[in-house]
Amino acid sequence: MKDNAEPNRGRRTLVIAGACAGGAATVAAAVPFVASMLPSDRAKAAGAPVEADIGQLAPGEKMTVEWRGQPVWILHRTPEMLEGVKKDEDKVADPKSERKKDELTPVYARNEFRSIKPEYLVVVGICTHLGCSPQDRLKAGPEPFAADWEGGFYCPCHGSLFDLAGRVYKNKPAPDNLKVPPYKFLSDTRIVIGEDTKGA
C-alpha cells in the first residue's frame, strides 16, 4: 500500500505561526530587560559616565557636555594657550592645585596644566564662589578686568577670574580652582567623563 498522504498544511502553518509568536514574545520580553541595563536619564544625572567625541574639536575651541546636571568644559588648548598658562603661574592663587586636592583635582591632573594631556582641559564650568557659570575669554589680550590677560574664564557675577587651566586668580571672590571631574581617554578622539582609571 502506497503512502500518498499529503502533508498537513494546516498543522505546518500552525507550527510556524506558533514559533514566530514565541520568538516575538521572547524578543518583547528581552527588550525591557536589556533596556533596564542602560543608564537612565536619572542615573546619568546622578553620575553615570558620559562619553564625549572630541575628534572635531579644533585647537582653540571649547565644547560643553552635561554630567551630573553640570556643564563640563572640554577645551582644546593651542601651544599659545599652554604658554599663557605658564605665564599665569604668579597670578593665580593655587598654582599647584593643593587646596582641596582630593575634592577638586584628581591625582593625574595635579600638574601645571591640570590635565592628563596638556592640550585638553576638562573642568566643571561652575564658579567655586556662588555657583555661577563663567564666560569664555579665551583669547589673550587686554580686558577691562586685566590688562595683561592671557586668556581664561571671567565670572561677571562677582568678578572671579580663572586661567586656561581653570586656576583662580589671586584676590578674587572664588576661593578655589575649577573642579576637574574624574575622566579618562578611551582613544585619541573620545573622552569618558565620570570615570577614570581607578573607576571613580
Side-chain angles (χ1 to χ4, degrees):
M1 184 173 188
K2 245 183 175 177
D3 187 5
N4 287 332
E6 290 284 327
N8 188 329
R9 294 182 190 273
R11 181 178 285 171
R12 182 184 294 169
T13 302
L14 186 59
V15 170
I16 292 172
C20 289
T26 302
V27 170
V31 167
F33 176 73
V34 172
S36 71
M37 293 190 291
L38 298 174
S40 65
D41 290 339
R42 177 180 278 180
K44 287 178 183 175
V50 176
E51 285 189 29
D53 183 352
I54 58 170
Q56 302 301 314
L57 193 62
E61 290 183 347
K62 184 191 92 172
M63 66 184 288
T64 303
V65 296
E66 187 177 336
W67 174 67
R68 290 188 173 179
Q70 300 176 324
V72 174
W73 296 338
I74 303 171
L75 174 64
H76 189 172
R77 293 180 287 205
T78 63
E80 293 76 21
M81 288 175 161
L82 294 174
E83 282 303 313
V85 170
K86 292 178 182 179
K87 291 176 185 175
D88 285 336
E89 190 84 6
D90 294 333
K91 302 175 195 171
V92 296
D94 184 17
K96 307 287 186 203
S97 299
E98 294 173 331
R99 292 185 193 165
K100 298 182 186 174
K101 53 188 175 185
D102 292 330
E103 179 185 336
L104 297 174
T105 314
V107 173
Y108 46 82
R110 291 179 200 161
N111 53 55
E112 183 176 25
F113 300 112
R114 298 187 77 225
S115 59
I116 296 172
K117 295 183 179 183
E119 64 270 29
Y120 288 105
L121 173 69
V122 180
V123 290
V124 176
I126 294 178
C127 181
T128 55
H129 179 223
L130 291 176
C132 305
S133 190
Q135 298 175 351
D136 295 352
R137 292 291 190 272
L138 303 179
K139 292 185 179 178
E143 290 279 359
F145 46 78
D148 57 348
W149 186 243
E150 293 295 338
F153 309 97
Y154 164 65
C155 190
C157 301
H158 301 95
S160 293
L161 302 175
F162 301 88
D163 76 348
L164 289 168
R167 301 177 302 180
V168 67
Y169 272 57
K170 293 176 181 175
N171 305 313
K172 297 297 174 184
D176 298 302
N177 295 339
L178 296 178
K179 180 177 181 173
V180 176
Y183 76 99
K184 66 180 179 181
F185 283 83
L186 298 177
S187 69
D188 288 341
T189 60
R190 294 197 74 75
I191 291 178
V192 63
I193 296 157
E195 190 177 279
D196 58 20
T197 51
K198 297 177 185 173

